[in-house]
Amino acid sequence: DAGGACEGILYQIEHNRLEQELPYIWMREMITDVYQPIWIEVFANNKSLPAITFIADRRNKFYRGNLSCTQI
């Protein structure tokens, strides 16, 4: 969401497993189309790596921003 940065989990997929694993991640994150997939550059273990991230689309009918912890 807004802010330009987030903390999360970076999953590493072995190159030879990419075609098998990426569809599962895609299905999980894109089930409601509330996210927009974006390729970004991340830094891990002193290396720059390509990564896909999913950014909330505020225009999507399923977007629920500004929820308190009790509303989640």
Side-chain angles (χ1 to χ4, degrees), residues 39-68:
W39 281 99
I40 62 169
E41 181 180 12
V42 298
F43 299 93
N45 299 324
N46 296 320
K47 290 191 270 184
S48 173
L49 303 166
I52 192 168
T53 189
F54 298 88
I55 298 173
D57 179 359
R58 293 175 167 207
R59 297 167 296 169
N60 188 289
K61 66 181 179 180
F62 293 111
Y63 173 74
R64 298 292 180 260
N66 300 317
L67 294 178
S68 70

Side-chain angles (χ1 to χ4, degrees), residues 6-71:
C6 72
E7 292 184 26
I9 298 172
L10 177 64
Y11 294 102
Q12 182 176 349
I13 301 172
E14 297 296 328
H15 191 269
N16 64 341
R17 304 261 321 151
L18 190 59
E19 286 187 35
Q20 294 168 322
E21 300 295 334
L22 192 54
Y24 293 113
I25 295 168
W26 192 271
M27 246 187 335
R28 183 186 74 200
E29 299 298 330
M30 297 299 290
I31 193 166
T32 62
D33 289 327
V34 73
Y35 295 117
Q36 294 180 349
I38 305 289
W39 281 99
I40 62 169
E41 181 180 12
V42 298
F43 299 93
N45 299 324
N46 296 320
K47 290 191 270 184
S48 173
L49 303 166
I52 192 168
T53 189
F54 298 88
I55 298 173
D57 179 359
R58 293 175 167 207
R59 297 167 296 169
N60 188 289
K61 66 181 179 180
F62 293 111
Y63 173 74
R64 298 292 180 260
N66 300 317
L67 294 178
S68 70
C69 290
T70 58
Q71 292 175 303

